[in-house]
Amino acid sequence: MAKGAEVLNWIDALPTDLRQSVMAEMKPLRVKQGALIYERFSPAKGLYRVVSGTTRLFSLAPDGRELIYKINGPSESFGDLGAIDGGPYTLSAEAMTDCELLFLSCSSLNDLRRKYPALETALLTFVTRIARTSIMSIEVATIFPLPARIASRLTFLAASARERGEPVTELKIAQKDLGVMVGASRQAVNKVLSDFQAKGLVETHYGSLRIIDIDGLRRQTMRFSSSPPERAD
């Protein structure tokens, strides 16, 4: 997938003075593992930035099926769209571990937008990348076969790790969670990953996965896509 909103650390991309002004308005917050930070469709109060720990963005279908949209690590933000446009949150957010977060309220963000016009350009770029990523995500979810969906998701997770300054080859992701991300059972994911491992693309471990050949994973996706996947190296 092309570089999109999920892997854009828009706060750290701001000019130094503006970034410092934004960070100065953010308030520390601690949440326990399993705590629901906010619920889908609830009124947005602001956006959050992960200092330590891991959170996830997800939705639940009426029949109980779950979709994990994004796992957020240190320096990544979430809840941005609701904070930007004042609408409700589009997904639910939950702490996967004990977390230290920073919180920027909608009112504080709006004050910063009035004070610093350059912030509007940064937010417009961010929202545009969300739109681009959403279009490509629909293509992957509706057209790609399962091996290509998994390969696309792994290259995306690697790109997210790169944005956090983490090794792009070592992904802390359970097969069950990867299955929820691509709409497949753990058994189906295990079968595909076993095939990828036989081809020398990945190496699986309990609760984690090591990418051996990132270009090989990209080729698994590019066979079905008109655009190149996100580069993570």
Side-chain angles (χ1 to χ4, degrees):
M1 295 176 67
K3 186 170 183 178
E6 293 105 331
V7 294
L8 172 65
N9 187 332
W10 69 269
I11 295 176
D12 286 351
L14 295 171
T16 302
D17 290 348
L18 181 51
R19 178 182 179 276
Q20 291 175 346
S21 296
V22 171
M23 295 293 291
E25 294 296 321
M26 304 189 85
K27 310 301 181 185
L29 177 67
R30 292 179 180 269
V31 294
K32 292 291 187 180
Q33 180 179 2
L36 188 65
I37 301 168
Y38 58 74
E39 200 168 8
R40 188 183 187 191
F41 301 135
S42 62
K45 297 180 180 179
L47 63 89
Y48 301 79
R49 178 182 170 95
V50 181
V51 177
S52 66
T54 306
T55 67
R56 66 176 187 144
L57 299 177
F58 69 99
S59 63
L60 289 174
D63 62 5
R65 287 180 300 164
E66 183 180 68
L67 169 67
I68 298 178
Y69 180 74
K70 178 79 165 58
I71 294 176
N72 301 293
S75 82
E76 293 181 307
S77 62
F78 57 96
D80 310 80
L81 285 183
I84 291 170
D85 71 0
Y89 291 119
T90 55
L91 297 163
S92 296
E94 180 184 66
M96 298 181 70
T97 65
D98 290 348
C99 294
E100 294 183 15
L101 307 176
L102 292 174
F103 173 71
L104 180 66
S105 68
C106 292
S107 59
S108 294
L109 178 61
N110 288 333
D111 287 343
L112 288 165
R113 293 167 72 177
R114 286 189 289 268
K115 187 174 181 180
Y116 301 102
L119 188 55
E120 290 298 309
T121 301
L123 294 177
L124 177 61
T125 300
F126 174 74
V127 172
T128 300
R129 286 184 170 174
I130 286 180
R132 290 181 180 275
T133 299
S134 297
I135 292 170
M136 286 182 278
S137 296
I138 292 171
E139 177 188 29
V140 171
T142 58
I143 298 177
F144 286 19
L146 183 58
R149 296 205 308 271
I150 292 176
S152 176
R153 177 55 59 169
L154 290 177
T155 55
F156 168 73
L157 291 172
S160 294
R162 181 198 61 196
E163 290 289 320
R164 297 193 298 269
E166 300 174 358
V168 300
T169 58
E170 306 293 336
L171 302 180
K172 296 179 180 179
I173 180 73
Q175 291 186 18
K176 175 179 177 294
D177 290 336
L178 183 58
V180 172
M181 287 180 171
V182 299
S185 67
R186 187 193 65 78
Q187 291 81 1
V189 170
N190 179 265
K191 183 177 180 180
V192 172
L193 291 180
S194 294
D195 180 60
F196 283 0
Q197 184 162 280
K199 293 177 178 176
L201 302 178
V202 303
E203 185 178 280
T204 60
H205 303 280
Y206 181 76
S208 67
L209 182 146
R210 183 167 182 259
I211 295 178
I212 305 298
D213 183 359
I214 189 73
D215 288 329
L217 286 176
R218 292 192 189 104
R219 287 192 290 272
Q220 293 291 320
T221 304
M222 291 174 68
R223 290 187 299 155
F224 302 94
S225 178
S226 58
S227 59
E230 168 63 46
R231 296 196 65 85
D233 50 352

